[in-house]
């Protein structure tokens, strides 16, 4: 899952874009770009990767992603079967923070939106948007370019007032990624997301980056304020949560599919990160949905 920088430079007469996409499946590209992105998933399901967060997604979700945050919507395997008639549909709005002029969102009257965009640096999943607000977002594609500007502000104001939302990526991941260009860190993220469930270790990643294990451990902890082992376990447990919620595999199978070499370690790490056993997590989720 190599990490890609996507160039979404706007055409000359537009400061942002609204795209209504309909494909057999979403592109399998883990990517980032300088534009902020607001996404409404209209059809399909699978796994959502935002920063170091991995969760199941389904139609109806609305997510706001800050600038340069790596992300991808990976459809379930059934979407890639040759005889599949399934569709992946989404509305995606892209805009730069200064699409209304440098410093516009820094004036006191725009503080609510400015705070929203700061939170979006971790990725925001809105849990209970009204159908009216979702309709406002969807209607952005129907307006002329001038009307679209102030309608976008109205949407951002409404989103800034939402109280039921989930921040997705960890602060440490975002802070490390959004520092000055760091090709070594880019390689680490791409390698981990490609291989986290194949039993990789700090030694494997250190070798890949051309560092000895001790130097790599110091380098990673300085960037993330946590050990690489802790970070890797968070990624693996996040993936395990997605498998648990799909409810297609036993907990023992999920432990191995997520990259843990024994069930005891899986249960221990799951408790450390979520404060409960995998079985309790599944029961809790099922009872609240």
């Amino acid at each position: 899952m190599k990490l890609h920088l996507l160039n979404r430079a706007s055409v000359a007469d537009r400061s942002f874009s609204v795209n209504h996409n309909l494909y057999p499946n979403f592109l399998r590209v883990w990517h980032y770009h300088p534009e902020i992105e607001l996404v409404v998933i209209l059809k399909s399901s699978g796994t959502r990767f935002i920063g170091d967060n991995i969760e199941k997604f389904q139609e109806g979700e609305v997510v706001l992603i800050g600038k340069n945050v790596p992300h991808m919507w990976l459809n379930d395997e059934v979407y890639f079967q040759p005889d599949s008639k399934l569709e992946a549909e989404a509305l995606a709005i892209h805009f730069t923070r200064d699409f209304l002029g440098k410093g516009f969102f820094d004036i006191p009257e725009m503080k609510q939106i400015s705070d929203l965009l700061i939170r979006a640096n971790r990725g925001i999943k809105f849990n209970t948007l009204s159908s009216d607000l979702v309709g406002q977002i969807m209607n952005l594609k129907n307006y002329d370019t001038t009307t679209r500007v102030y309608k976008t502000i109205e949407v951002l104001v409404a989103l800034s007032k939402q109280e039921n939302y989930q921040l997705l990526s960890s602060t440490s991941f975002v802070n490390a990624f959004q520092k000055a260009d760091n090709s070594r860190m880019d390689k680490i993220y791409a390698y981990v997301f490609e291989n986290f469930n194949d039993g990789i270790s700090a030694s494997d990643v250190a070798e890949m980056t051309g560092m000895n294990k001790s130097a790599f451990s110091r380098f990673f902890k300085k960037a993330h304020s946590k050990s690489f082992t802790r970070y890797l376990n968070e990624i693996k447990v996040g993936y395990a949560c997605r498998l648990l919620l799909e409810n297609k595999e036993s907990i023992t199978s999920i432990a191995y599919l997520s990259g843990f070499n024994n069930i005891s370690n899986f249960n221990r790490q799951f408790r450390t990160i979520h404060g409960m056993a995998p079985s309790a997590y599944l029961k809790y989720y099922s009872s609240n949905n």
Side-chain angles (χ1 to χ4, degrees):
M1 199 191 309
K2 185 178 179 181
L3 182 59
H4 296 269
L5 168 63
L6 294 191
N7 182 1
R8 293 186 178 278
S10 300
V11 294
D13 63 343
R14 295 182 186 178
S15 54
F16 59 95
S17 64
V18 180
N19 297 292
H20 190 172
N21 303 312
L22 179 62
Y23 303 113
N25 49 71
F26 295 134
L27 295 177
R28 298 197 220 197
V29 179
W30 192 43
H31 65 281
Y32 66 103
H33 41 71
E35 293 81 12
I36 297 162
E37 181 172 349
L38 177 63
V39 180
V40 182
I41 302 296
L42 300 171
K43 290 183 183 178
S44 84
S45 62
T47 303
R48 174 182 10 89
F49 296 75
I50 295 184
D52 57 356
N53 174 266
I54 306 174
E55 289 183 344
K56 183 178 172 61
F57 78 84
Q58 54 192 5
E59 63 184 49
E61 78 168 31
V62 179
V63 174
L64 182 66
I65 309 167
K67 62 178 290 187
N68 292 332
V69 177
H71 57 279
M72 176 176 69
W73 275 261
L74 179 63
N75 286 123
D76 295 325
E77 283 301 319
V78 65
Y79 283 82
F80 298 94
Q81 299 301 316
D83 59 347
S84 173
K85 293 181 172 56
L86 297 171
E87 294 180 318
E89 183 179 11
L91 186 80
I93 298 102
H94 295 92
F95 58 93
T96 60
R97 196 181 191 283
D98 58 356
F99 82 100
L100 290 171
K102 190 171 182 179
F104 179 82
F105 289 122
D106 296 325
I107 65 175
E109 291 80 4
M110 292 292 108
K111 187 177 187 309
Q112 275 190 307
I113 295 180
S114 179
D115 290 346
L116 173 73
L117 299 182
I118 290 171
R119 294 198 303 274
N121 287 332
R122 292 180 58 188
I124 306 173
K125 177 177 176 286
F126 299 97
N127 294 322
T128 54
L129 294 188
S130 68
S131 58
D132 286 344
L133 180 48
V134 174
Q136 283 182 255
I137 299 171
M138 293 300 301
N139 282 335
L140 291 176
K141 68 181 186 295
N142 300 323
Y143 300 123
D144 62 73
T145 54
T146 302
T147 304
R148 190 176 286 170
V149 170
Y150 67 80
K151 290 293 184 180
T152 297
I153 296 176
E154 289 181 358
V155 165
L156 292 175
V157 169
L159 291 176
S160 73
K161 295 178 179 179
Q162 300 301 307
E163 297 181 350
N164 190 354
Y165 61 85
Q166 176 187 356
L167 297 179
L168 300 174
S169 185
S170 70
T171 303
S172 58
F173 180 95
V174 172
N175 288 345
F177 188 84
Q178 293 190 343
K179 286 179 181 177
D181 179 53
N182 191 330
S183 59
R184 177 175 284 171
M185 193 63 81
D186 292 354
K187 286 177 62 178
I188 291 170
Y189 294 145
Y191 184 82
V192 170
F193 275 81
E194 182 71 28
N195 300 286
F196 67 87
N197 55 354
D198 288 335
I200 62 172
S201 66
S203 297
D204 297 322
V205 185
E207 182 179 355
M208 183 274 297
T209 58
M211 305 171 72
N212 65 54
K213 184 178 177 181
S214 296
F216 168 73
S217 296
R218 291 192 299 271
F219 169 78
F220 193 90
K221 191 164 187 176
K222 182 178 179 181
H224 280 270
S225 300
K226 68 177 73 173
S227 70
F228 175 77
T229 300
R230 168 72 186 204
Y231 171 80
L232 180 61
N233 284 332
E234 288 174 353
I235 296 294
K236 294 194 291 187
V237 167
Y239 183 72
C241 289
R242 172 244 169 155
L243 298 180
L244 283 167
L245 300 182
E246 287 183 346
N247 206 20
K248 295 178 181 178
E249 303 282 350
S250 69
I251 290 177
T252 299
S253 295
I254 287 171
Y256 289 100
L257 289 170
S258 302
F260 291 95
N261 56 13
N262 63 72
I263 188 68
S264 297
N265 188 35
F266 171 61
N267 286 331
R268 183 166 57 253
Q269 298 303 331
F270 201 101
R271 283 181 181 275
T272 297
I273 292 167
H274 285 289
M276 63 181 78
S279 56
Y281 178 92
L282 179 58
K283 183 178 180 180
Y284 175 82
Y285 181 89
S286 300
S287 66
N288 285 277
N289 286 273

